Amino acid sequence: MQTETTPPAATAATAIAPDVAATRWLAVGSLLGLIALCLAWELWLAPLRPGGSWLALKALPLAVPLAGLLKRRMYTYRWVSLMVWLYFTEGVVRAWSDAPPGNWLAGAEIALCLLLFTACALHVRLRLRGARAARAAVSA
């Protein structure tokens, strides 16, 4: 009885390197953390107005790239690494202008933004390096 096997080249192309997978999960985790922080901050922990504020809607744009990150879309990783700087800027401004605990939450936002940017940048770099190595292996 004959069984079908996947050619080695196809297996190598679909396999995800462990470091690429780690950066993917780091990006998804930090994005989810940033979404949770934005909602908790503006609704319960330190809202601008008692009872919550409409500023909680700032978490909505963060939900948009979640599917693209989970599907490993390179374009999503690239534009998220640019979009995150808006949230970083908000964190820096509020770290200097808000009273505690708002400034502590802003510090957490800054840390999550830096983590998300680093994860996205590393993910793109590692995937491009892997693609170059695969191209070199095929042409050799």
Side-chain angles (χ1 to χ4, degrees):
M1 182 170 173
Q2 188 177 11
T3 60
E4 287 188 32
T5 59
T6 306
T11 304
T14 59
I16 300 171
D19 50 356
V20 173
T23 58
R24 173 186 178 208
W25 290 115
L26 187 61
V28 170
S30 58
L31 182 63
L32 288 173
L34 197 54
I35 291 169
L37 175 69
C38 287
L39 289 173
W41 183 357
E42 300 302 339
L43 294 176
W44 301 290
L45 299 176
L48 290 176
R49 290 175 184 76
S53 73
W54 284 96
L55 201 53
L57 293 176
K58 71 181 181 184
L60 283 178
L62 292 171
V64 173
L66 194 55
L69 293 182
L70 290 171
K71 293 178 182 177
R72 298 181 57 232
R73 292 187 175 148
M74 184 76 88
Y75 183 75
T76 305
Y77 282 90
R78 287 178 172 168
W79 71 260
V80 166
S81 69
L82 298 174
M83 181 188 75
V84 73
W85 291 110
L86 296 171
Y87 292 87
F88 175 83
T89 303
E90 186 223 7
V92 169
V93 168
R94 291 186 73 178
W96 265 261
S97 64
D98 283 7
N103 61 352
W104 301 331
L105 295 168
E109 183 178 34
I110 292 168
L112 285 169
C113 287
L114 291 174
L115 190 62
L116 179 58
F117 174 77
T118 303
C120 287
L122 279 174
H123 187 86
V124 169
R125 177 177 285 184
L126 292 171
R127 282 191 49 197
L128 289 176
R129 185 181 298 157
R132 263 188 248 117
R135 242 182 295 135
V138 168
S139 65

